[in-house]
Amino acid sequence: MNSALTVNDGIAQPPMVNPHVGGLFEKRRQPLPTVEEYVRGIRESNITMLSRAITLIESRRPDHQQMAQKVLEACRPFAGNSIRLGITGVPGAGKSTFIEAFGGMITARNHRLAVLAIDPGSERSKGSILGDKTRMETLSADPRAFIRPSPGTGSLGGVARKTYETVILCEAAGFDYIFIETIGVGQSEVAVHSMTDFFLLLMISGAGDELQGIKRGVMEMSDLLLINKADGNNVEKAIQAQAQYQSALHLFPAPPSGWTPRALTCSAVDKTGLKEVLQEIENYIALTKANGYFEQRRREQARYRMYETINDNLQNTFYNNPTVAAKLAELEQQVTSGALNPYDAAAALLALNF
Ligand code: GDP
């Protein structure tokens, strides 16, 4: 027993493979639902199945993408029946607080609400709210609400497409209000505008519109300017801002909808002015459904999406082509060194067989 040859038990050796990774692989091996199972689940408003179908849409795997398109195709006949609301405003304007308060009012009226976002990765982490559900705690726990963060990184065109496809699935699942949120400092407003019926710009008083980073174009495409944080000491300033924006709105050409956009105030914290916002949206929907603009806008949006898809595909095909990629680096170098003019360089690249 006391021999020097005794081998102690020693300590347990760590496993050769990371045990946590094993769990992940097991999860991945779980068979995917069939197209029929996805569609049935979505139509039955099964939120787990809806979430899984959205994950399928977001997947880059070609077999997933193929399947996602089949699910979408089957869902499309049941889509189109929601009110799609675009919400933009710079970080800090109060979007998540507003969505929480206004969304709560919508679900309290027995509507089902899906909240989506469009900002591609890097922008999201800077300001947009939806990666951070804890900031919409009540709505996250509301059985009539479904909150889904932005579909991750990628080109804006790619993210926008996935968000639009998510709208289709949510509508097929019976959601009758869809909010699509974006931070108001990029091209993403155009993308949100191109897939929503009503576009709401959330602003705060006491900051010139330059300060808020709001471009004139964004104001011009808005159906409602909403000055938030009209509470406490800020009420008067908010009302002044409302008057200023209201007169600024008169300077824009009359929109083709026949609708006259207005500036209103609200407080997302005090929950004041929210009924008026809903009334404004309902008035807009009633007017544009009666004068045909509602349908016309959706058809225009379909046309926009067609061109967007073509442009996206052409761009991908071009830049992913190995011949182009090889030549591109060389010509880029010549252009930056001044040896070649940019137009000849572009022409030479476009003349390649890609
Ligand atoms: P987001 O970045 O646009 O989503 O803005 P948040 O919803 O995160 O709000 C930014 C800050 O403004 C937070 O501290 C909120 O509590 C505050 N806030 C939002 N809405 C209101 C409001 O109606 N009144 C006041 N006083 N503060 C608000």
Side-chain angles (χ1 to χ4, degrees):
M1 265 327 243
N2 289 328
S3 153
L5 293 173
T6 305
V7 178
N8 290 328
D9 279 350
I11 53 162
Q13 290 301 303
M16 296 287 281
V17 292
N18 182 343
H20 303 295
V21 173
L24 262 183
F25 282 134
E26 266 158 38
K27 214 170 175 186
R28 283 212 191 121
R29 256 189 253 123
Q30 229 183 45
L32 282 181
T34 62
V35 170
E36 290 70 28
E37 283 165 345
Y38 276 119
V39 176
R40 197 181 329 121
I42 290 169
R43 294 289 294 137
E44 287 169 355
S45 293
N46 177 332
I47 296 303
T48 310
M49 208 52 115
L50 173 64
S51 299
R52 292 187 74 180
I54 297 171
T55 305
L56 194 70
I57 280 178
E58 291 169 357
S59 169
R60 284 169 201 263
R61 269 178 54 174
D63 56 332
H64 288 176
Q65 282 176 10
Q66 242 177 26
M67 204 169 172
Q69 289 311 311
K70 287 188 188 146
V71 173
L72 273 166
E73 221 166 278
C75 283
R76 234 173 234 120
F78 307 104
N81 294 323
S82 80
I83 292 175
R84 304 168 181 170
L85 178 69
I87 299 175
T88 192
V90 293
K95 291 180 299 299
S96 52
T97 316
F98 173 78
I99 291 171
E100 168 101 330
F102 188 62
M105 195 180 87
I106 301 252
T107 58
R109 293 179 182 212
N110 264 336
H111 291 295
R112 294 182 58 220
L113 165 69
V115 182
L116 315 175
I118 211 174
D119 298 297
S122 59
E123 283 186 38
R124 186 181 76 193
S125 52
K126 273 192 232 147
S128 182
I129 39 135
L130 291 170
D132 183 4
K133 278 192 189 181
T134 55
R135 292 168 79 188
M136 289 193 282
E137 256 171 42
T138 320
L139 211 53
S140 307
D142 187 332
R144 291 202 195 91
F146 171 69
I147 301 177
R148 180 84 184 189
S150 181
T153 51
S155 69
L156 176 60
V159 170
R161 178 182 175 155
K162 287 169 191 171
T163 304
Y164 179 71
E165 290 175 343
T166 303
V167 169
I168 302 294
L169 297 189
C170 290
E171 287 179 343
F175 287 91
D176 51 357
Y177 270 85
I178 317 259
F179 292 178
I180 306 177
E181 181 260 1
T182 179
I183 55 168
V185 286
Q187 278 301 303
S188 46
E189 299 90 350
V190 177
V192 172
H193 188 259
S194 74
M195 61 176 82
T196 50
D197 305 312
F198 189 94
F199 193 71
L200 189 161
L201 171 59
L202 202 65
M203 308 183 92
I204 35 179
S205 58
D209 47 353
E210 295 84 0
L211 274 181
Q212 292 189 43
I214 301 291
K215 287 184 224 75
R216 182 197 147 101
V218 175
M219 244 169 98
E220 200 167 343
M221 67 174 139
S222 303
D223 299 300
L224 170 64
L225 299 191
L226 188 57
I227 295 117
N228 188 30
K229 308 196 187 182
D231 47 43
N233 296 333
N234 209 30
V235 174
E236 209 165 296
K237 266 200 287 181
I239 292 171
Q240 275 170 13
Q242 177 191 13
Q244 279 165 8
Y245 284 123
Q246 188 64 60
S247 48
L249 280 171
H250 288 310
L251 303 175
F252 294 139
S257 53
W259 173 253
T260 313
R262 291 204 297 160
L264 295 178
T265 62
C266 78
S267 166
V269 165
D270 287 357
K271 300 192 168 116
T272 52
L274 301 181
K275 282 198 192 86
E276 288 77 358
V277 173
L278 184 58
Q279 188 60 58
E280 196 76 353
I281 295 168
E282 284 173 349
N283 289 349
Y284 175 90
I285 302 293
L287 174 88
T288 54
K289 278 199 168 163
N291 71 12
Y293 182 76
F294 187 89
E295 263 314 304
Q296 188 193 326
R297 178 159 164 172
R298 286 197 174 179
R299 281 198 301 268
E300 274 296 314
Q301 290 174 340
R303 199 175 72 100
Y304 172 91
R305 256 190 297 286
M306 180 186 85
Y307 281 107
E308 200 184 42
T309 309
I310 293 173
N311 293 344
D312 242 38
N313 283 350
L314 283 177
Q315 211 172 330
N316 285 343
T317 316
F318 180 74
Y319 285 110
N320 291 335
N321 181 288
T323 322
V324 171
K327 195 83 181 154
L328 185 65
E330 181 193 324
L331 291 186
E332 188 190 288
Q333 214 275 324
Q334 291 181 26
V335 168
T336 43
S337 71
L340 183 65
N341 81 64
Y343 307 106
D344 286 349
L349 286 163
L350 289 167
L352 292 172
N353 203 0
F354 63 89

